[in-house]
Amino acid sequence: MTNTNQYDVIIVGGSYAGLSAAMALGRLLKSVLILDSGLPCNRQTPHSHNFITQDGQTPSEIARKAKEQILAYQTVSFYQGIAISGKKTSIGFEITTASHDTFSSKKLIFATGIKDIMPDIKEIEACWGISVIHCPFCHGYEFKELKTAILANSDKAVHVASLVGNLTKDITILTNGSANFTLEQREKLARNHIAIVETPIAAVQHEKGHLESVLLKDNSQLDFQAMYAAVTFEQHCTIPKDLGCELTETGYIKVDAFQKTSIDGVYACGDNTNMFRSVSAAVASGSMAGAMVVKELSEEVF
Ligand SMILES: Cc1cc2nc3c(=O)[nH]c(=O)nc-3n(C[C@H](O)[C@H](O)[C@H](O)COP(=O)(O)OP(=O)(O)OC[C@H]3O[C@@H](n4cnc5c(N)ncnc54)[C@H](O)[C@@H]3O)c2cc1C
């Protein structure tokens, strides 16, 4: 633990990516403050899959264990709270929290994740991560051979359908409005016995998050046990953008192969930089960001 408000590195976001970055930094004795508001994107999902050694573990237990291991490094500290602003200073950066605490560092790492934006469908949020899922690799196995909907349109729907086709042959694409497929895509979907329903959706019906049916706006009802939903997102934290970090066309923080943003001294890792959304990818990019910040700090004084 350090007793000052000055650190080598502040990591904003203390979930999988941020904790992984902190481990690389802590092991090289860098002073690190992790700021975390406690809202990881997978918090509603009952079990996390597809991360070796932790398959089927609860998301919070993976993070708890990681935090315990990382805080064993004496130069790493953790602050529970939300960072609301950041600015460049003569020696690096300053971050201020909602409780008006201010911390300074030479480098910044943003591991702030993304915020999923639910479509305007009643009750869908209650099922998010439980039976309305984002990824066949994370949760598809648990829903194999079941009656499955894919809430998506055009290329995205075809892409998800091709993957989900490994798990179940009972697939319906819900485009929630006019379908937008090429003739070739329609033929491909028909060949794989995948129905397309264009009627807008009013609500999902569920029992404690477990999907039972989809209610369409024409009052008809379709029964499903699982739904893959391609939802939109926004950055969880606006500080990187406020500091001038460039975003990609699709809304991710632009980073190079070493997780460096377009602003000197600022790195980003995890979901906020990458559409390949998984705990393992977040951990890998966090580890890279942590190591690259150590390298940069070391070269500055060596
Ligand atoms: C519903 C769902 C289920 C999933 N299931 C799986 C699965 O089974 N297996 C798998 O491998 N992947 C799964 N994923 C993907 C996985 O959860 C993410 O890839 C992973 O959480 C990304 O880690 P991260 O650290 O980048 O972001 P997050 O885990 O989202 O964490 C970001 C952290 O930053 C904090 N933060 C944001 N802004 C601020 C701020 N201004 N100040 C302080 N703190 C801030 C947040 O509170 C949060 O704690 C799932 C995703 C979702 C949405």
Side-chain angles (χ1 to χ4, degrees):
M1 271 278 210
T2 169
N3 293 319
T4 72
N5 280 356
Q6 168 69 48
Y7 297 85
D8 288 324
V9 186
I10 294 173
I11 300 174
V12 186
S15 178
Y16 315 104
L19 290 169
S20 175
M23 181 165 265
L25 288 153
R27 288 185 58 76
L28 273 283
L29 299 178
K30 296 295 144 203
S31 62
V32 181
L33 178 68
I34 306 166
L35 300 175
D36 187 56
S37 55
L39 290 174
C41 62
N42 61 350
R43 59 191 176 277
Q44 193 165 275
T45 212
H47 301 283
S48 179
H49 292 279
N50 204 34
F51 181 30
I52 55 168
T53 78
Q54 303 298 321
D55 194 38
Q57 188 53 271
T58 61
S60 61
E61 179 56 16
I62 300 173
R64 188 205 62 76
K65 199 168 174 186
K67 193 172 158 188
E68 181 183 274
Q69 292 180 347
I70 286 144
L71 292 182
Y73 292 91
Q74 287 167 358
T75 58
V76 181
S77 315
F78 195 92
Y79 175 102
Q80 182 72 46
I82 183 160
I84 53 162
S85 65
K87 66 175 185 193
K88 184 106 188 68
T89 64
S90 56
I91 54 145
F93 302 92
E94 196 174 277
I95 294 285
T96 301
T97 71
S99 311
H100 310 292
D101 291 315
T102 297
F103 303 100
S104 311
S105 64
K106 295 175 194 156
K107 310 285 174 196
L108 282 180
I109 297 178
F110 287 98
T112 39
I114 54 174
K115 223 187 258 182
D116 295 300
I117 300 170
M118 292 297 125
D120 187 17
I121 295 173
K122 271 191 213 133
E123 289 297 313
I124 194 163
E125 193 149 13
C127 300
W128 182 237
I130 300 169
S131 58
V132 174
I133 54 187
H134 79 296
C135 160
F137 294 98
C138 296
H139 303 290
Y141 187 86
E142 285 62 45
F143 293 101
K144 64 183 184 302
E145 290 157 23
L146 298 182
K147 215 168 166 44
T148 299
I150 294 174
L151 175 61
N153 208 341
S154 63
D155 296 351
K156 178 81 184 177
V158 177
H159 165 65
V160 176
S162 72
L163 295 177
V164 176
N166 290 294
L167 297 160
T168 178
K169 298 297 167 209
D170 194 338
I171 300 174
T172 303
I173 290 176
L174 307 176
T175 54
N176 196 23
S178 300
N180 181 16
F181 295 110
T182 63
L183 188 58
E184 193 192 342
Q185 287 174 327
R186 281 186 182 275
E187 281 168 4
K188 206 178 259 188
L189 294 172
R191 201 164 55 241
N192 286 283
H193 311 288
I194 295 172
I196 303 168
V197 173
E198 297 182 85
T199 317
I201 303 170
V204 298
Q205 295 170 320
H206 64 99
E207 177 64 33
K208 294 187 175 146
H210 297 279
L211 185 64
E212 292 180 339
S213 58
V214 169
L215 187 64
L216 302 177
K217 285 200 173 155
D218 64 4
N219 279 329
S220 60
Q221 188 178 306
L222 299 169
D223 294 341
F224 295 108
Q225 289 148 299
M227 179 194 280
Y228 292 84
V231 302
T232 55
F233 74 91
E234 61 187 16
Q235 286 287 328
H236 205 150
C237 174
T238 57
I239 303 173
K241 197 164 170 231
D242 299 341
L243 285 171
C245 294
E246 266 181 66
L247 299 187
T248 67
E249 270 177 22
T250 44
Y252 294 101
I253 300 172
K254 205 178 205 172
V255 287
D256 66 13
F258 304 110
Q259 304 302 134
K260 189 177 186 312
T261 71
S262 57
I263 298 294
D264 277 347
V266 181
Y267 286 70
C269 51
D271 276 10
N272 61 10
T273 59
N274 187 350
M275 66 176 295
F276 187 67
R277 201 174 189 195
S278 73
V279 174
S280 56
V283 167
S285 69
S287 188
M288 173 67 86
M292 288 302 122
V293 170
V294 170
K295 176 178 180 287
E296 204 173 296
L297 285 167
S298 310
E299 287 173 356
E300 281 168 10
V301 294
F302 191 70

